Amino acid sequence: MEYQYGQNNENNGYPGNNYTYFHQEPYGNGPIPGEPKKKEKKSGRGLIPICLVLSLVMGTAGGALGSGIVMQYNNKNAEKVQEQQVSEEALPETTESAPVTPAAATAVSGLTVGQISKMCMPSVVAITNKGEVEIRSLWGTFTQESEGSGSGVIIGRTDQELLIVTNYHVVSGNKELSVLFSYQEEDRDISEAQIAKAQIKDYSSSKDLAVISVDIASLSQETLDNIKVATLGDSNDMELGEQVVAIGNALGYGQSVTTGIVSALGRSVSTQGADGQTEGLGSENRYIQTDAAINPGNSGGAMFNMKGELVGINSAKSAGEYVEGMGYAIPISDIKEDMERMMQQETRTLLAENERGYLGISVSNVTSEINEAYDIPLGAHISSVTEGSPAERAGLQRGMVVTAINGKSVRTREELIEYLSYYKAGETVSFTVKVRTDAGYEDRNFDVTLYSAEEAGITTQENQTPGTDSNSGTEYVLPDGQNPFGGFFPFFND
């Protein structure tokens, strides 16, 4: 019985089956259609010699014809086999270390999401940032303890330090940074002493990028055996529709794995807070957009390609009632040089307030709205300079706008305070400021040698204006009764 498989449909075939079965068989007991009827036997002895001669002739011709057909068939088969061998030789070889599985493997490398998770998870860490936030109210300004969570990726290891890349907004404003490695998440009884402490090595607020370090001597051998430095890929080779895997400390619950595709490349994204400053996203970056789930806590985490290579640093997502599947990552190739430079910088320890160097200025933020309305450069505007302070001796004056310290971008007074928190009395800091001239604003550099408030003859007063830090010399609350434009933009008083 022969079967022919056809498409199933309503009129022909068996319900519940994807195929229709057609078959052929004899029709009852009657004669088979197409078979010739048997003729009655007739006497024909004279025909026997003639039939013998015809049989010999036809047999010879038939044999020759049959041989020719067989030879032609064999030749065609030989050509088909040869073509098949050539096509098989042209196929790419499958990587032995990355076997392809029918269910969840990619056609390019053969690595599954599960394989990438197992291979790359030891390179991703959870970061906890304990700090303080300033709360403004009608009764003044006060500080409140805060705690945030994020992620990081191990990108280097020396004899002295373990180096981790993350977002600047994950570690900014910190009083204490702690790092939890992925293998430690299974230990519910982990002690505070087993959690590694980290310091900011260097950062770029404009690129929302930072490198932090952990002292190797503080890590156990178990930790060193369970961590891994990530392998960097080339984000310039990424294509639309390419599959990626995101790993990070989502919502602070611990490391989680999500996957998606590259939705877009070279995206320019910015968000603004209530103060007009860009939040979370570096203004100088062009982002990889993905539909892989990226949630709060994923910031600073890793985006891997299907080879297990680090191709991006997850930074943010678009959220809203009508938004779904729009996450953003900084392309690794765009920040590779920045990371290498940051890794080579000297690691500084956050100083207590009484150990920090004294500068002697009061500053206020220049928001985007003020920048657009009055063409004032973004940065920390100097509203006053304390007489006899290091700032005055170096030449800093009221009306200047601080835009960088030691080559690092400064966009807000908070960034200025944070940076100076790592420098003590006796150290020299280079300030880049915008100075107003008849032709507009121009850049000037000032080297300021810090010293203690006591050395400058500055004493802390109990009735000090709220918001003043007597050690850093910064203040964002204007003195009572002062014209806001007079205090913020002194040239308006002319």
Side-chain angles (χ1 to χ4, degrees):
M1 184 181 297
E2 296 178 358
Y3 292 92
Q4 181 180 3
Y5 301 91
Q7 203 73 17
N8 193 22
N9 54 60
E10 295 180 357
N11 299 322
N12 195 358
Y14 303 105
N17 203 320
N18 292 328
Y19 298 94
T20 301
Y21 301 93
F22 300 97
H23 55 274
Q24 296 177 352
E25 59 181 331
Y27 298 92
N29 297 324
I32 300 176
E35 183 177 343
K37 295 182 179 180
K38 296 181 181 180
K39 294 183 179 181
E40 297 180 358
K41 294 183 180 180
K42 294 183 179 180
S43 175
R45 293 180 180 179
L47 295 176
I48 293 177
I50 297 175
C51 291
L52 289 175
V53 173
L54 290 175
S55 298
L56 290 174
V57 174
M58 295 300 293
T60 302
L65 180 60
S67 299
I69 293 174
V70 170
M71 291 178 64
Q72 185 178 4
Y73 177 80
N74 289 337
N75 289 337
K76 289 184 178 180
N77 282 345
E79 292 176 0
K80 290 181 179 180
V81 170
Q82 186 176 4
E83 291 175 359
Q84 184 176 2
Q85 290 176 347
V86 171
S87 62
E88 289 176 351
E89 290 175 358
L91 292 174
E93 296 181 358
T94 302
T95 305
E96 294 182 359
S97 60
V100 177
T101 58
T106 65
V108 176
S109 68
L111 290 180
T112 66
V113 175
Q115 288 171 329
I116 291 175
S117 174
K118 183 176 181 180
M119 180 175 67
C120 301
M121 187 78 77
S123 301
V124 185
V125 303
I127 299 175
T128 300
N129 178 351
K130 294 182 179 179
E132 293 180 349
V133 293
E134 294 177 336
I135 308 298
R136 301 184 186 185
S137 69
L138 296 175
W139 299 274
T141 302
F142 59 94
T143 60
Q144 179 177 331
E145 292 185 356
S146 64
E147 181 173 309
S149 60
S151 308
V153 188
I154 302 173
I155 57 170
R157 175 177 170 180
T158 68
D159 293 337
Q160 292 79 32
E161 295 176 315
L162 190 68
L163 302 172
I164 300 168
V165 64
T166 185
N167 290 136
Y168 169 70
H169 74 264
V170 171
V171 297
S172 64
N174 79 93
K175 297 291 184 181
E176 180 182 301
L177 290 177
S178 59
V179 172
L180 187 69
F181 302 98
S182 58
Y183 84 96
Q184 293 177 319
E185 293 181 357
E186 300 176 359
D187 187 359
R188 297 179 179 274
D189 299 325
I190 188 170
S191 65
E192 188 69 23
Q194 293 175 289
I195 300 177
K197 304 302 179 184
Q199 299 290 338
I200 295 180
K201 195 170 184 69
D202 202 357
Y203 68 86
S204 170
S205 58
S206 61
K207 293 190 175 182
D208 193 23
L209 186 70
V211 171
I212 64 175
S213 66
V214 176
D215 186 2
I216 286 287
S218 66
L219 302 178
S220 66
Q221 188 60 45
E222 180 185 13
T223 297
L224 296 176
D225 292 340
N226 281 278
I227 60 178
K228 180 182 178 182
V229 176
T231 301
L232 299 187
D234 189 351
S235 57
N236 293 327
D237 292 337
M238 301 190 72
E239 298 179 353
L240 295 181
E242 181 178 343
Q243 187 177 7
V244 289
V245 176
I247 303 179
N249 181 26
L251 301 181
Y253 293 156
Q255 302 299 351
S256 63
V257 180
T258 57
T259 185
I261 64 169
V262 175
S263 305
L265 296 168
R267 288 294 198 214
S268 178
V269 185
S270 64
T271 57
Q272 289 188 342
D275 60 354
Q277 299 298 325
T278 300
E279 293 182 339
L281 297 174
S283 58
E284 297 181 5
N285 297 327
R286 294 294 179 267
Y287 292 87
I288 301 169
Q289 181 182 323
T290 178
D291 66 350
I294 295 177
N295 295 295
N298 277 115
S299 292
M303 173 183 283
F304 294 103
N305 61 19
M306 300 313 290
K307 298 178 183 178
E309 297 171 335
L310 181 67
V311 292
I313 303 299
N314 300 323
S315 295
K317 66 173 292 186
S318 293
E321 184 179 356
Y322 303 104
V323 179
E324 183 176 352
M326 295 183 68
Y328 301 94
I330 306 173
I332 203 69
S333 298
D334 292 356
I335 56 174
K336 186 175 181 180
E337 293 183 0
D338 296 279
M339 291 193 305
E340 292 175 349
R341 174 182 54 79
M342 293 179 184
M343 292 166 66
Q344 297 172 0
Q345 297 299 311
E346 177 188 1
T347 301
R348 289 184 166 271
T349 302
L350 184 67
L351 301 173
E353 291 187 2
N354 59 354
E355 298 176 337
R356 300 172 189 174
Y358 175 75
L359 179 60
I361 62 174
S362 296
V363 296
S364 302
N365 287 331
V366 179
T367 64
S368 298
E369 288 81 1
I370 294 174
N371 169 258
E372 293 175 0
Y374 303 103
D375 196 26
I376 309 300
L378 293 173
H381 182 274
I382 300 177
S383 54
S384 65
V385 180
T386 303
E387 184 179 354
S389 67
E392 185 190 47
R393 294 183 183 184
L396 293 178
Q397 298 178 10
R398 181 185 182 190
M400 295 179 177
V401 180
V402 180
T403 58
I405 300 179
N406 284 356
K408 295 181 179 61
S409 174
V410 172
R411 297 178 299 177
T412 65
R413 63 172 297 278
E414 289 77 17
E415 291 178 1
L416 174 62
I417 296 173
E418 181 177 356
Y419 193 85
L420 292 175
S421 299
Y422 291 86
Y423 287 85
K424 57 186 178 181
E427 294 189 278
T428 300
V429 181
S430 178
F431 284 76
T432 300
V433 302
K434 294 283 188 180
V435 180
R436 182 184 171 95
T437 65
D438 294 338
Y441 282 89
E442 64 179 30
D443 287 327
R444 292 183 188 176
N445 295 320
F446 295 86
D447 292 333
V448 182
T449 300
L450 306 176
Y451 45 85
S452 66
E454 289 74 16
E455 291 173 338
I458 306 298
T459 57
T460 302
Q461 300 177 0
E462 293 182 0
N463 58 353
Q464 199 170 9
T465 304
T468 300
D469 185 328
S470 60
N471 292 310
S472 66
T474 55
E475 178 183 292
Y476 64 84
V477 177
L478 296 177
D480 294 337
Q482 188 178 58
N483 183 337
F485 285 106
F488 203 89
F489 308 116
F491 49 84
F492 280 92
N493 289 333
D494 295 341

